[in-house]
């Protein structure tokens, strides 16, 4: 091989060396580490469609040469060590192509799209240069496309606007044979010198202090829902989705911003942050926003890389009104801009930010506003239209740019194709518009009440969830029972052994007890702990608490004292109502009232006039009860249930499986199971009778069977274990009984034994977090698996993948529930609430939520849901997982070891709840 002489001074003559700024050094390093894809992610490319006359090519070439002489960075390349810009006298040539012979419009459109993609994805040679290029396409004698593309290491958004203005003036002068009257341009070397001086100043140290304080804790990673698993190593391939905004909406947003004393840019930024908050549920967000250094330094005519990325941190909350959030962002943005001259990389080096190879640290999402980029741009005898060319490669997971002029605004959303599908991005921008429409109409709307655009649903899920049925959404549970008492005062409401209360007696006793509780300062919104056995007095106490506008906290005295103590303290109960006997040991710090004593006071007071409780402003949104369950850690967690949720549930159950005034329902569940709400209240809203079984009877199969027969029970709800107990006690003759089975999986063998003994058998499913039952289905004994049927009224069920997209029918995914019964979250557990209660992306209703159950299931071809057990394969009983301290208490509810063995054999791990 023949040796080649190396001559270090070959090539264009070197005119100047400009030391890299910190921002340029960061771009250089990113390109070296990420390769060509990372480098192409820094391309800036725009096109001008020039119409109305011929384009003078000699004038255009002259103008481009003058433009390069005017701005030194256009003649620069990078040194091999990435430390300096090397400025020469070299000027890149104009690439020109004539496409006017392409007669087919479709073929021309394809050629133009391909050309734009080629320019935007060009790989610049940072060492050899040039670092910008221009092309001109002749489409017709009076129609041309001029494209300018530059690498970000020498050009930013501000610079593009300057280049287009200067090029227009230079071309116009050359086309007329004149000399352009442009003032001298400031050079990038001046900017680099100014930045070097600034980094030695007290102002720079103040900027460092500001940002270090802002991110002393390292910040939080933004976890957008993705369609694909995040790769181990960053990828850059991207596409762009553009959405023009209605001009009337843009004008309304401008007006809303002005009314709040905020700029249009601040308004758009706040809206984007609210969108991210509603999508992710995260109360700690970081959004990157470019800030032009030209404006900060006063060197406004400099072309170059002068931009710094500002990591804007925000803390949106559901209880904040949008107007308040917007006004708060104004001051935060002012502070950030005041300290903008600190580069992103410089900040990262000073922060305890976790690094991951698969994502950018701290800033995953970019927001930018490019309004009026072509303001002041004019080409002699030509009309122009500006187009921004999609890069094809992107540094950020998501980058939203608002471009345009006046009220003509387009959202340009570049997204990583390794993370997102186009449909998700399209819906994200649709949600931006949906949010904008809501805030311009009602700026004081709470962030939690702002709805996202509904997600499109496969037809099978649309059919499954067509459950909208009118119900008394404004009513309270108390008002429904009081109305029934007025309608059927002499009808028997509750039976317990030889004791019976009519509706009038039940309502009157509850009213008198409410008066006695109010006399003891029980007020609206307070919580009352109830540790009572299943007797008529329990129902009286429940209704009395609700008549006071308070809510009840059900406590099973058989639970471990430590668990009960925690629940009372965590709920901050105002008092504890318990049965007569020794003071309970779990009531530390909570006033204790004996129900028998308060009832006696109420009876005595009933003899006096005007002993009805004062009107209480209870609403359907008020808390009805707070029920504690246990999570995977074993720590109890409270689920607040409103009147509206329980009213929807009960009226749905009234329709299906159905209950009428002639029915008699046997209540066997402890009050600490949420299914007790059905047993105690469902009969009372429709004139039926609730028969209470004592604790002994519920544990003795023979006694329970005798009670069913003696009381002519027509409706009973129980777990598979209790139904097994009845069968083991010799139940063999059919009864006119509608059997409801839930809380655990219904074994097919058990169903086959129950079907000939019952009038009807229903299987039910639903977590406490969605208000008792969410689905129900009648068991027929036909072929196929036993399902949990379909959603109850005003309830939706989805089977979703890890990214939150509905899976195809027949495919296993996580059961996710939405609708009227979904709780607002866990009581004082914001982190767990954010994890399990997420915005309802399908409903599009303000404040609507989806509860992720952790249960595996699938949608069958017949339109019913099959539950396949826990995703985490942990055995979970109805309402709580079995923890070491609770096993003993659980087993005591069974009458004997033999029964426990039977239950265990028929209930393998993996069940509905």
């Amino acid at each position: 091989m023949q040796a080649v002489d190396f001559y270090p001074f070959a090539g264009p003559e070197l005119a100047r060396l400009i030391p890299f700024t910190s921002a340029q050094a960061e771009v250089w390093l990113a390109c070296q580490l990420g390769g060509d894809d990372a480098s192409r992610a820094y391309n800036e490319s725009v096109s001008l469609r020039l119409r109305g006359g011929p384009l003078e090519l000699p004038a255009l070439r002259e103008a481009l040469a003058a433009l390069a002489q005017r701005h030194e960075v256009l003649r620069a390349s990078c040194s091999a060590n990435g430390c300096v810009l090397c400025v020469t006298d070299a000027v890149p040539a104009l690439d020109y192509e004539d496409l006017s012979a392409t007669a087919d419009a479709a073929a021309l459109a394809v050629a133009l799209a391909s050309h734009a993609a080629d320019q935007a994805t060009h790989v610049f040679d940072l060492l050899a240069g040039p670092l910008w290029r221009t092309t001109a396409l002749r489409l017709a004698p009076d129609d041309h496309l001029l494209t300018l593309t530059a690498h970000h290491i020498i050009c930013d958004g501000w610079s593009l606007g300057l280049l287009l203005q200067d090029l227009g003036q230079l071309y116009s002068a050359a086309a007329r044979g004149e000399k352009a009257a442009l003032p001298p341009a400031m050079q990038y070397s001046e900017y680099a010198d100014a930045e070097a001086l600034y980094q030695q100043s007290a102002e720079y140290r103040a900027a460092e202090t500001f940002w270090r304080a802002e991110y002393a804790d390292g910040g939080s990673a933004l976890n957008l829902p993705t369609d694909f698993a995040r790769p181990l190593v960053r990828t850059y391939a991207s596409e762009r989705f553009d959405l023009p905004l209605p001009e009337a909406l843009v004008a309304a947003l401008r007006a809303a911003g002005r009314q709040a004393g905020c700029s249009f840019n601040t308004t758009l930024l706040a809206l984007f942050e609210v969108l991210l908050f509603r999508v992710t549920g995260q109360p700690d967000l970081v959004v990157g926003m470019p800030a032009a250094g030209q404006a900060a330094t006063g060197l406004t005519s400099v072309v170059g890389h002068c931009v710094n990325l500002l990591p804007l941190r925000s803390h949106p909350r559901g209880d904040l009104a949008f107007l308040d959030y917007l006004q708060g962002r104004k001051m935060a943005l002012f502070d950030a801009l005041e300290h903008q001259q600190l580069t992103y990389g410089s900040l990262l080096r000073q922060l305890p930010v976790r690094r991951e190879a698969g994502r950018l640290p701290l800033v995953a999402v970019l927001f930018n506003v490019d309004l009026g980029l072509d303001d002041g741009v004019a080409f002699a005898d030509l009309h122009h239209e500006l187009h921004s060319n999609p890069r094809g490669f992107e540094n950020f997971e998501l980058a939203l740019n608002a471009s345009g002029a006046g009220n003509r605004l387009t959202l340009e959303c570049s997204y990583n194709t390794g993370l997102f599908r186009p449909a998700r991005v399209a819906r994200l921008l649709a949600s931006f518009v949906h949010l904008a429409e809501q805030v311009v109409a009602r700026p004081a709307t709470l962030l939690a009440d702002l709805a996202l655009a509904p997600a499109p649903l496969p037809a099978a899920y649309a059919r499954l969830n067509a459950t909208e049925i009118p119900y008394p959404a404004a009513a309270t549970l108390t008002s429904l029972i009081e109305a029934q008492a007025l309608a059927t005062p002499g009808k028997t409401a509750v039976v317990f052994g030889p004791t019976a209360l009519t509706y009038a007696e039940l309502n009157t006793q509850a009213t008198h007890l409410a008066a006695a509780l109010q006399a003891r300062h029980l007020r609206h919104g307070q919580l009352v702990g109830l540790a009572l056995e299943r007797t008529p007095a329990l129902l009286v106490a429940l209704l009395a608490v609700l008549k006071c506008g308070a809510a009840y906290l059900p406590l099973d005295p058989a639970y471990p004292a430590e668990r009960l103590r925690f629940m009372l303290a965590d709920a901050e109960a105002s008092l504890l109502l318990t049965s007569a006997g020794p003071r309970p040991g779990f009531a530390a710090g909570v006033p204790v009232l004996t129900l028998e004593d308060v009832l006696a006071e109420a009876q005595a007071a009933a003899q006096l006039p005007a002993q009805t409780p004062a009107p209480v402003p209870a609403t359907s949104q008020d808390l009805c009860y707070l029920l504690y369950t246990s999570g995977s850690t074993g720590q109890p967690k409270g689920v607040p249930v409103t009147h509206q949720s329980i009213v929807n549930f009960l009226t749905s159950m009234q329709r299906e499986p159905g209950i009428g005034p002639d029915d008699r329902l046997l209540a066997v569940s402890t009050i600490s199971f949420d299914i007790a709400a059905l047993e105690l209240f469902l009969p009372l809203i429709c004139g039926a009778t609730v028969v209470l079984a004592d604790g002994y009877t519920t544990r003795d199969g023979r006694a329970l069977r005798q009670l069913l027969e003696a009381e002519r029970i027509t409706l009973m709800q129980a777990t598979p274990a209790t139904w097994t107990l009845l069968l083991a006690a010799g139940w063999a003759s059919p009864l006119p009984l509608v059997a409801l089975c839930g809380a655990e999986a219904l074994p097919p063998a058990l169903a086959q034994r129950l079907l000939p003994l019952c009038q009807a058998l229903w299987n039910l499913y639903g977590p406490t977090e969605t208000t008792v039952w969410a689905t129900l289905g009648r068991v027929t004994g036909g072929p196929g698996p036993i399902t949990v049927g379909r959603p109850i009224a005003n309830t939706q069920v989805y089977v979703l993948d890890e990214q939150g997209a509905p899976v195809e029918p027949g495919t296993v995914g996580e059961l996710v529930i939405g609708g009227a019964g979904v709780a607002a979250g866990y009581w004082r557990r914001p982190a767990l609430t954010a994890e399990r209660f997420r915005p309802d992306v399908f409903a599009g209703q303000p404040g609507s939520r989806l509860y992720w159950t952790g249960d595996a299931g699938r949608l069958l071809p017949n339109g019913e849901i099959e539950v396949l057990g826990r995703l985490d394969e942990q055995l979970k009983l109805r309402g709580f997982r079995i923890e070491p301290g609770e096993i003993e208490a659980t087993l005591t509810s069974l009458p004997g070891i033999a029964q426990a063995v039977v239950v265990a054999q028929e209930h393998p791990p993996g069940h509905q709840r």
Side-chain angles (χ1 to χ4, degrees), residues 3-272:
V4 178
D5 291 336
F6 172 70
Y7 183 60
F9 302 105
E13 182 178 350
L14 191 64
R16 181 189 292 273
L17 295 176
I18 305 174
F20 265 10
T21 62
S22 298
Q24 283 180 310
E26 291 164 14
V27 173
W28 166 269
L29 180 61
C31 294
Q32 304 312 304
L33 295 177
D36 287 350
D37 286 357
S39 183
R40 288 187 285 193
Y42 285 105
N43 285 355
E44 306 280 352
S45 182
V46 294
S47 293
L48 286 173
R49 191 76 176 260
L50 300 170
R51 293 188 175 98
L55 179 68
E56 302 291 343
L57 279 179
L60 180 59
R61 289 191 172 98
E62 180 183 336
L64 289 170
L67 190 67
Q69 292 301 322
R70 177 172 171 79
H71 300 288
E72 60 188 6
V73 291
L74 299 183
R75 295 174 277 118
S77 60
C78 302
S79 64
N81 63 358
C83 292
V84 295
L85 281 179
C86 304
V87 180
T88 69
D89 290 328
V91 177
L94 170 69
D95 291 334
Y96 177 79
E97 186 176 359
D98 190 344
L99 298 180
S100 59
T102 306
D104 183 75
L108 181 60
V110 170
L112 293 182
S114 176
H115 175 78
D118 289 343
Q119 297 306 302
T121 58
H122 175 74
V123 180
F124 286 101
D125 187 332
L126 299 185
L127 297 182
L131 301 182
W132 72 300
R133 63 191 317 220
T134 53
T135 63
L137 301 180
R138 185 174 187 263
L139 310 179
D142 59 350
D143 188 1
H144 291 76
L145 186 74
L146 177 66
T147 300
L148 189 154
T149 305
H151 197 278
H152 195 36
I153 205 164
I154 65 156
C155 185
D156 54 23
W158 183 289
S159 301
L160 273 178
L162 291 175
L163 291 175
L164 293 176
Q165 290 177 17
D166 288 354
L167 182 60
Q169 293 191 54
L170 290 168
Y171 169 83
S172 299
R176 298 186 181 111
E178 301 171 355
K179 182 176 178 60
L182 289 174
M186 300 173 180
Q187 298 303 315
Y188 189 71
S189 52
E190 298 177 63
Y191 177 83
D193 291 342
E195 188 199 62
L197 287 175
Y198 175 76
Q199 290 179 351
Q200 308 303 316
S201 68
E203 290 85 355
Y204 181 79
R205 290 190 293 275
E208 285 186 311
T209 300
F210 171 83
W211 289 110
R212 280 200 305 268
E214 183 77 356
Y215 289 100
D217 59 355
S220 300
L222 181 66
N223 294 310
L224 284 169
T226 62
D227 295 306
F228 309 102
R230 191 178 301 280
L232 296 178
V233 179
R234 276 179 67 196
T235 60
Y236 300 88
S238 74
E239 292 180 359
R240 200 177 80 187
F241 186 93
D242 292 358
L243 180 67
L245 295 181
E247 292 189 29
L249 179 60
V250 176
L253 280 171
R254 290 185 183 276
R258 284 194 301 270
Q259 191 169 9
C262 297
S263 69
F264 185 49
N265 289 13
T266 303
T267 304
L268 292 177
L269 171 65
L271 194 59
F272 182 55

Side-chain angles (χ1 to χ4, degrees), residues 758-780:
C758 301
Q759 191 177 78
L761 174 62
W762 292 78
N763 194 29
L764 307 105
Y765 164 80
T768 301
E769 291 84 348
T770 62
T771 310
V772 196
W773 306 124
T775 74
L776 79 168
R778 185 165 181 175
V779 181
T780 62

Side-chain angles (χ1 to χ4, degrees), residues 673-891:
F673 282 131
D674 63 344
I675 64 174
L678 179 145
E679 300 172 6
L680 298 176
F681 300 132
L682 179 58
L684 300 183
I685 70 167
C686 60
T689 300
V690 54
V691 179
L692 300 175
D694 60 31
Y696 170 79
T697 301
T698 62
R699 294 190 293 270
D700 187 293
R702 189 177 301 276
L704 188 58
R705 179 172 60 85
Q706 291 172 350
L707 185 60
L708 279 171
E709 296 170 350
E711 291 291 347
R712 308 181 313 282
I713 300 301
T714 61
L715 187 63
M716 177 174 150
Q717 168 188 258
T719 65
T722 299
W723 292 116
T724 300
L725 180 65
L726 274 168
L727 291 170
W731 177 25
S733 300
L735 293 175
L737 177 69
V738 174
L740 309 182
C741 186
E744 302 163 11
L746 174 58
L750 177 59
Q752 292 301 323
R753 296 182 65 188
L754 288 174
L755 279 169
L757 300 176
C758 301
Q759 191 177 78
L761 174 62
W762 292 78
N763 194 29
L764 307 105
Y765 164 80
T768 301
E769 291 84 348
T770 62
T771 310
V772 196
W773 306 124
T775 74
L776 79 168
R778 185 165 181 175
V779 181
T780 62
I786 294 179
T787 75
V788 295
R790 303 170 186 270
I792 70 169
N794 305 302
T795 300
Q796 294 81 45
V797 178
Y798 308 95
V799 186
L800 305 183
D801 61 20
E802 291 182 354
Q803 285 73 45
V807 302
E808 290 297 321
T811 304
V812 177
E814 183 169 357
L815 292 175
V816 177
I817 301 173
V822 177
Y826 290 115
W827 183 261
R828 296 176 178 168
R829 301 282 293 276
L832 188 58
T833 293
E835 176 188 340
R836 304 298 293 276
F837 294 84
R838 307 178 196 173
D840 189 337
V841 297
F842 305 110
Q845 297 298 321
S848 58
R849 298 165 300 280
L850 291 175
Y851 174 68
W852 290 64
T853 67
D855 290 332
R858 58 187 169 191
L859 176 59
L860 299 179
N862 65 357
E864 297 184 355
I865 296 290
E866 181 185 13
V867 180
L868 300 171
R870 295 293 295 170
L871 286 173
D872 54 13
E873 298 183 351
Q874 295 183 34
L875 180 62
K876 183 182 178 186
L877 288 185
R878 177 73 175 84
F880 64 93
R881 286 196 177 115
I882 295 184
E883 307 297 339
E886 297 172 342
I887 293 177
E888 183 176 343
T890 303
L891 291 180

